[in-house]
Amino acid sequence: RKRKKQEYLPSLSATAQYYFQGQRNDFDFLKGGEDKFYKVGFSGIVLNIPIFNGFEKRFGKAQYGIELIQLKNTMENTRKYLSKEYSDALAQYKNSINIIWRQEENIKTAEDGYAICMDGYNQQVIPLSDLILAEGNLIEARLSHLNDFLQFKNAELDLRKAKGELLEF
C-alpha cells in the first residue's frame, strides 16, 4: 500500500549521457584520424507529476485490500486447520491409551482362563480342545494388544507432528 501511495507523489530525477557517434559511406572507422566520430552528449532533469492514470489508483487500492483480506482468511483457515489437527490427534492419543488399558485387562483375563484350563487339563477334567481354545484366546488377546500398541504409537507420532515437534520431509 505504501509503495502504491508513493507512486502518486511528484518525482524529480536527473539524467545524462555522453557518447561518440560516427557516420560514413564506407566502413573505414578503424583507419586513423581524429575527425571520424562526433561527440554527442546531453543532460536533463525529469519532473514527473502524476495527474491522471485511468483510475488505476482507486482500483489498485481495492485490489491490495482484497489481497490483504485473502491473506488474512488464509491465515485464519490455517490456524483452524492446525487446531483441528491437534485436537483430533489428542483425542486419538487419549482413546488409544484407553484401548491399551482395556487390552491389558483382556490379556489378564485370557491368562487366567488359560491357567484354569491348564489346571483342569492337568487334572484330566477338561478336554484338550478346550485348552487349545483357551490358548487361542490368549494369543488373540496378545495380538490385539500389540496391534493397539502400534496404533497408540501412531497416535503419539500424530500428536507430536501436530505440536510441531516432528518435521515432514
Side-chain angles (χ1 to χ4, degrees), residues 2-69:
K2 288 180 182 178
R3 182 176 49 90
K4 213 46 163 160
K5 286 180 181 178
Q6 289 176 355
E7 287 180 1
Y8 299 102
L9 296 175
S11 63
L12 181 65
S13 60
T15 182
Q17 282 190 348
Y18 182 74
Y19 55 92
F20 295 97
Q21 181 178 3
Q23 297 177 346
R24 299 276 185 247
N25 288 336
D26 296 326
F27 187 74
D28 60 351
F29 290 111
L30 301 177
K31 293 182 182 175
E34 296 271 333
D35 59 347
K36 294 195 179 219
F37 295 100
Y38 301 105
K39 296 176 185 175
V40 180
F42 72 92
S43 62
I45 296 176
V46 177
L47 176 63
N48 183 11
I49 302 174
I51 297 173
F52 181 72
N53 61 358
F55 303 112
E56 181 185 349
K57 181 178 182 179
R58 182 176 9 160
F59 294 123
K61 282 183 180 179
Q63 181 181 1
Y64 283 118
I66 290 171
E67 287 178 11
L68 184 63
I69 290 171

Side-chain angles (χ1 to χ4, degrees), residues 27-108:
F27 187 74
D28 60 351
F29 290 111
L30 301 177
K31 293 182 182 175
E34 296 271 333
D35 59 347
K36 294 195 179 219
F37 295 100
Y38 301 105
K39 296 176 185 175
V40 180
F42 72 92
S43 62
I45 296 176
V46 177
L47 176 63
N48 183 11
I49 302 174
I51 297 173
F52 181 72
N53 61 358
F55 303 112
E56 181 185 349
K57 181 178 182 179
R58 182 176 9 160
F59 294 123
K61 282 183 180 179
Q63 181 181 1
Y64 283 118
I66 290 171
E67 287 178 11
L68 184 63
I69 290 171
Q70 287 174 340
L71 287 173
K72 286 180 181 177
N73 286 340
T74 301
M75 190 169 64
E76 184 63 29
N77 287 340
T78 304
R79 278 191 190 126
K80 287 180 182 178
Y81 172 76
L82 292 176
S83 175
K84 180 190 173 298
E85 285 289 314
Y86 177 74
S87 64
D88 289 349
L90 186 62
Q92 182 64 32
Y93 181 76
K94 289 179 180 178
N95 200 14
S96 293
I97 288 174
N98 290 335
I99 289 172
I100 293 251
W101 180 73
R102 283 190 214 122
Q103 287 296 338
E104 288 173 355
E105 288 180 356
N106 287 345
I107 288 176
K108 288 177 186 174

